[in-house]
Amino acid sequence: MPEAASPQPAPGSDALPKTYDPAGTEARWQAAWEQAGAFHPDPAAPGQPFSVVIPPPNVTGSLHMGHAFNTALIDTIVRFQRLQGKNVLCLPGTDHASIAVQTILEKQLKAEGASKDDLGRDAFFERAWAWKAESGGTIVGQLRRLGYSVDWGRERFTLDPGLNKAVVEAFLRLHEQGLIYRGEYLVNWCPASGSAVSDLEVEMKEVEGSLWHLRYPLTPLADHPIDHLVVATTRPETMLGDTAVAVNPADPRYAHLVGRSITLPLMGRQIPIVADEHVDPAFGTGCVKVTPAHDPNDFAIGQRHGLPQITVMAKDGSMNEAAGRFAGLDRFEARKAVVAAMEAEGLLVKTEPHRHSVPYSDRGKVPVEPLLSTQWFVRTEPLAARCRTALDNPAGAEPRFVPERWSKVYRDWLTDIRDWCISRQLWWGHRIPAWFVVSETGGVITEATPYFVGRSEAEAWAKAEAQFGAASLAAGRDLVLEQDPDVLDTWFSSGLWPFSTLGWPDPAAADLATWYPTSVLVTGFDIIFFWVARMTMLAGAFLPEARAPFGDVYIHGLVRDENNRKMSKSAGNGIDPLLLIERYGADALRFALVREVAGAGQDIRLDYDRKTDTSATVEAARNFANKLFNATRFALMNLGGETPASLGEPVLAELESEDRWILSRLVRTSSQCAELCGSYRLGEAAKLLYEFAWNDLCDQYIEWAKPRLFGDDQAARTTARRVLAHSLEALLVMLHPLMPHLSEDLWHAVTGAEASEFLALQRWPQPNQQWLDPSHESAFQFGIDAVRAIRNLRALSGVKPAEKLPIGIHTPTAARRDFVIANQGKISRLVGASELHWEAEPTAGQLLGIVDSDAQVGLSVPQQSLDALRERLQKDLAKVEKEIAGLAGRLANPNFAGKAPPEVVAECQANLAEARAQAELVRGRLLDLG
RNA sequence: GGGCGAUUAGCUCAGAGGUAGAGCACUACCUUGACACGGUAGGAGUCACUGGUUCGAUUCCAGUAUCGCCCA
């Protein structure tokens, strides 16, 4: 980056604008980092490897605030680790989101009056890739705009050729291990997308439905009093596929009927009455209709009793030929028609309103239909078992969840896990690498058609030839192979993400060797099952030696809107991160998001005014950015063209009180902040730096150091410059993970570093440990307290801020006396004193304020009505008396003295003495005031 | 039905076994030679409730209530 392009003039210049304008600065540094390849690591480089693969956003449009949040957290972590000197890889990418993208495209086609079948598979794919290019481009642009320090040179897409290779290999190996099978089962069928979906993609929704009580006539039997049973159902249309009625074997009302048969109304079919323990005698009439082909529970009953499965619905949700005269009707129309028909026959007993759960398709937003279908499945238990073992690793759970409580959620899901339906009747996705020998089954694919799994069609052919070639030849027919038309669940490819992106299955991949397993996965709790568990299961199948594909899993909450609702596209309550970035800057948005996340993975609520597109939270962060900008501007104006390096380190022997104080605070802050960032307590780290920067450096240090910075004493000025430059530089380094652009920019301005150098690649500050000095910190704290007491007194007595007047500080303690005398000029400036003097005891004729039991401050002002001061003192007295009561009460308790730690008792006694002394002072002052 | 989380200042949220914190908002004053996106000084809370452990609980434990989420 050419120097001329920098917004910062050379150090020492005072030509900076008064406010920070993030837009240009952020774009410039993003470009500079990328052009320099700053985040493109070499696997052979020194430094402990640290790696993160980002959760790839779906290419379904653009990013929302949740992505910005996830990005802010990950980038803070990886930038921090980079500053620790690690060899950091942060790998970006996007997800093809098979079902979601196909839904979008089909909707577009429908709007154009076309369908995917008109287009054909190839043209549809072309269209899908075009969509991917557009949406993916938008997303990548947004990620760049946030300042994500990822390696764009390693960007991946879950449907790119490299990932396809990994997907095919994974499928093959799982198949070889017997962990993939194909079979006809009751699956969740989404009629909207025309595909099977997994259990996870089904969401239970409470709906107001009806419970229909239907009369099923018993097949007549001479001299038997009961001639019918009543069944209750929420789905009358499925009765067309009933193959039994079930009762509880212990139900005395019906026990004697078990084994008899019923004539199924409307269909005329004879179906048996079976006894099954899973029937709840208390629900409805205690009799349930059994439709094994359309209900999971009935399916299980059917299996136990060997009942036939009659599918009465087609895959588009309409009734099929097996539904007799209802064939062709949509399932919801059929429901009405069946009820009407039953009523017409006098078989509808009653209809009750009934609230119940209905499975909905996550994507299609329509009720899912349990349907018998031949699909591919992953046998999950062996994989899950390995994950549970890794979690129980005596040397430490793998992965380690942060916060820990999520590991229970993860474990529970991996216990009693169901097999994973991985085939989808879609086009956009990884085609299943299986070829059917359709010549064996008359040219069609059935459940019985033999198939071969291969890395390529040629490989499948070779296998097919070997097994069926001779027989085919003998039978005089050609071998015909046809690839399975279906694609894999998106999560199958996402599940390989932490290693497929690093080069797996190539055993020699350097990235894999260096950066696998990855260091930490950062994601929301909502995809622990979808993604985290799938990755650990699949990694266990292929790279079991690592136990888990990531050491830590840092689970964060969701971003909620100003009304505490989860932000979502469908609810229309999303907030576009770009709007806030444009208004406040990416650094401000990032800082605001991270600062909100101090707690243990709680959701964060981002305040937002939709009328004005403003956010007080982000605005506060923007103000902080501006404060830093101005602090740096001040430094540049007062460092005399020098840099931290040219000035050299502060020299201990030359330091004044505020120097000792800020450097001690710096030592403390740098180690605390590193500790917090290293343990994912990023919000606390953000707050710590905010306080150090604003309260300590700006409000105190700079104000106390101004006389030296403005003065003529060269030696004193150099010392102050050294401390200021040093503290500021360290602060900028520490802030870099949180506010990368601003800190990079200001760091260049302060250090005068070459454009080819980057703060992003510097080292975390290592301030001299000798500067840590608690006694100086408390000594200086007295100065802060005294200044505040004087200012308070001025405000209460109504002295004009600009009015200078004689001021005294009264303390008998030698160290404090020395402090006051040594800092006379500085304190005078801070409190507006025309003359500042020290006396052990206050002399008469002053207006006095109390710092603590050992110090008072006095203003030489004419006596006046001082209700405000009196009020204040009375309040102080009340407070201190309350404290005395509490402390005295505690000390009077013999158990306290006996059982509490001695240092606590001593502290308590000291506090009591202090409080009593203060109370005395306050009472004295009140008496003086009359 | 099972599990998890939350309940702290007007709002949004930190916090920690030993006298309650921040940001925003609020009040008063101040355009002081970095910053009004600023400064100074203030006001403001029975830490949801009830028990228990403890010398001491807002903090740990149990239960209750309310809200939210996940699983069935």
Side-chain angles (χ1 to χ4, degrees), chain A residues 127 194 196 204 255 287 337 395 457 526 603 633 651 678 753 872:
Chain A
R127 213 179 148 111
M204 299 307 282
C287 302
E457 184 160 7
D526 52 332
D603 289 353
R633 193 161 79 101
V651 179
R872 168 61 184 245

Side-chain angles (χ1 to χ4, degrees), chain A residues 345-504:
Chain A
E345 298 199 14
L347 297 174
L348 178 64
V349 180
K350 62 175 173 177
T351 306
E352 296 176 326
H354 183 62
R355 194 171 171 76
H356 63 126
S357 294
V358 173
Y360 270 72
S361 160
D362 233 10
R363 288 289 168 191
K365 304 292 172 202
V366 297
V368 152
E369 195 59 48
L371 212 62
L372 277 174
S373 171
T374 302
Q375 303 286 346
W376 294 90
F377 295 87
V378 170
R379 205 182 300 285
T380 44
E381 173 50 29
L383 299 172
R386 191 151 31 197
C387 293
R388 298 195 301 264
T389 306
L391 202 58
D392 291 335
N393 181 12
E398 296 179 31
R400 183 177 72 103
F401 278 82
V402 179
E404 202 277 332
R405 67 186 145 91
W406 291 110
S407 69
K408 181 175 155 52
V409 174
Y410 168 79
R411 170 192 296 282
D412 287 351
W413 190 71
L414 288 170
T415 309
D416 296 326
I417 189 171
R418 276 173 294 179
D419 282 354
W420 174 18
C421 175
I422 52 170
S423 43
R424 298 288 181 274
Q425 287 63 55
L426 303 166
W427 286 358
W428 178 240
H430 291 279
R431 190 96 176 249
I432 292 173
W435 280 263
F436 292 96
V437 189
V438 291
S439 45
E440 290 295 307
T441 46
V444 295
I445 300 172
T446 70
E447 199 197 353
T449 310
Y451 65 86
F452 293 95
V453 170
R455 288 176 185 83
S456 63
E457 184 160 7
E459 197 177 309
W461 263 102
K463 289 181 181 174
E465 286 279 4
Q467 193 171 332
F468 290 101
S472 275
L473 201 61
R477 59 171 192 261
D478 287 338
L479 210 54
V480 181
L481 259 61
E482 202 177 303
Q483 188 174 5
D484 192 308
D486 293 348
V487 301
L488 288 163
D489 181 4
T490 302
W491 297 104
F492 190 88
S493 51
S494 319
L496 310 173
W497 189 246
F499 43 97
S500 61
T501 52
L502 296 178
W504 186 88

Side-chain angles (χ1 to χ4, degrees), chain A residues 55-68:
Chain A
N58 290 345
V59 287
T60 48
S62 56
L63 297 189
H64 55 251
M65 200 56 76
H67 292 114

Side-chain angles (χ1 to χ4, degrees), chain A residues 667-733:
Chain A
V667 172
R668 203 185 285 284
T669 301
S670 86
S671 62
Q672 274 178 5
C673 189
E675 164 69 23
L676 291 169
C677 288
S679 54
Y680 308 111
R681 288 148 72 193
L682 306 179
E684 288 172 70
K687 282 174 191 165
L688 186 71
L689 292 179
Y690 183 96
E691 284 165 16
F692 177 76
W694 203 312
N695 304 344
D696 295 351
L697 190 63
C698 292
D699 290 349
Q700 299 302 331
Y701 182 73
I702 288 180
E703 294 306 323
W704 284 76
K706 270 178 181 173
R708 278 186 292 160
L709 292 168
F710 295 161
D712 298 325
D713 181 337
Q714 294 302 326
R717 188 156 71 178
T718 298
T719 298
R721 282 175 173 174
R722 280 180 180 148
V723 175
L724 174 61
H726 191 83
S727 308
L728 181 60
E729 186 187 1
L731 170 64
L732 291 171
V733 178

Side-chain angles (χ1 to χ4, degrees), chain A residues 24 90 227 307 322 410 500 552 667 689 693 726 779 794 863 866 874:
Chain A
C90 186
D227 65 350
L307 300 173
Y410 168 79
S500 61
D552 294 345
V667 172
L689 292 179
H726 191 83
R794 287 184 62 124
Q863 287 298 339
L866 288 173
Q874 268 155 356

Side-chain angles (χ1 to χ4, degrees), chain A residues 712-757:
Chain A
D712 298 325
D713 181 337
Q714 294 302 326
R717 188 156 71 178
T718 298
T719 298
R721 282 175 173 174
R722 280 180 180 148
V723 175
L724 174 61
H726 191 83
S727 308
L728 181 60
E729 186 187 1
L731 170 64
L732 291 171
V733 178
M734 294 190 288
L735 273 168
H736 182 258
L738 294 156
M739 303 186 120
H741 312 89
L742 174 69
S743 57
E744 182 78 73
D745 201 55
L746 299 179
W747 181 80
H748 276 260
V750 168
T751 61
E754 294 291 322
S756 57
E757 274 188 78

